[in-house]
Amino acid sequence: YESPADRKPDGDGRATFRWAQLCNADAGLIDTEKPLAFEVGVATRDYSGQLRFGCTVWRRDGVAVGSAFTPAFSPCPHGRETVVRVTFRPPWLAPGRYHFSMSVGKGNNEEGRMEDFDRLYEVLPFEALGPEGEGSTVATWAPNWGVVRFPTPELTLLTRLP
């Protein structure tokens, strides 16, 4: 995503998105066994406090998969671009097509107060590839299993075997 010069911020504009790009996606394809990362350029105007990003992953059919907020950070002074990398370790998404929406602002869901200075919708589209199966085959994933692949759960055998 690259912000057009005449783009108006979706918020009060104290911080605005300049650009965003996926880091580890080859032609928009990601390996869900590895971290998912993107870089963002943002600039502030008349604001000297800390910023955070809010990110939501959406399925291509418009269903939200999940959201997260980054830790707060100190941006460069007024007008200068700050570049950050946001990394999800690992996302464990099921195979399929997704995209992000994101915001830059202050506060988060745990603080109970949030204020967005700018928002982007339907950006950074990507396709999550299925994990490799046994013998280098493609693993199976049924759509009715959901969009999150939990890591293999821990199993503790409580019954003593004879």
Side-chain angles (χ1 to χ4, degrees):
Y1 166 82
E2 189 153 342
S3 182
D6 62 347
R7 178 181 173 269
K8 301 270 190 266
D10 184 8
D12 68 13
R14 285 183 277 173
T16 57
F17 287 103
R18 297 279 177 91
W19 57 271
Q21 67 182 19
L22 289 170
C23 296
N24 54 344
D26 183 22
L29 303 175
I30 65 154
D31 178 348
T32 59
E33 301 296 310
K34 296 179 181 173
L36 170 61
F38 61 85
E39 293 178 354
V40 180
V42 65
T44 59
R45 189 194 86 222
D46 301 327
Y47 181 73
S48 59
Q50 291 202 315
L51 295 175
R52 60 86 184 125
F53 291 105
C55 311
T56 300
V57 173
W58 298 82
R59 262 186 357 205
R60 296 305 283 173
D61 64 2
V63 174
V65 174
S67 298
F69 292 92
T70 68
F73 65 94
S74 296
C76 292
H78 170 71
R80 289 190 45 216
E81 183 173 271
T82 302
V83 177
V84 299
R85 177 175 287 167
V86 177
T87 304
F88 292 87
R89 296 185 186 276
W92 298 310
L93 291 170
R97 294 180 180 196
Y98 303 89
H99 64 269
F100 280 95
S101 64
M102 60 184 73
S103 65
V104 60
K106 65 180 181 176
N108 61 45
N109 60 320
E110 293 175 2
E111 293 174 8
R113 298 187 302 96
M114 291 184 289
E115 187 176 0
D116 291 338
F117 304 147
D118 195 9
R119 295 175 210 68
L120 295 176
Y121 304 95
E122 295 185 38
V123 295
L124 306 180
F126 64 94
E127 183 171 354
L129 302 174
E132 192 172 293
E134 292 185 29
S136 297
T137 62
V138 176
T140 302
W141 190 264
N144 63 329
W145 292 347
V147 294
V148 175
R149 289 185 314 108
F150 295 112
T152 302
E154 183 178 308
L155 177 81
T156 303
L157 184 60
L158 300 176
T159 303
R160 282 207 180 265
L161 296 177

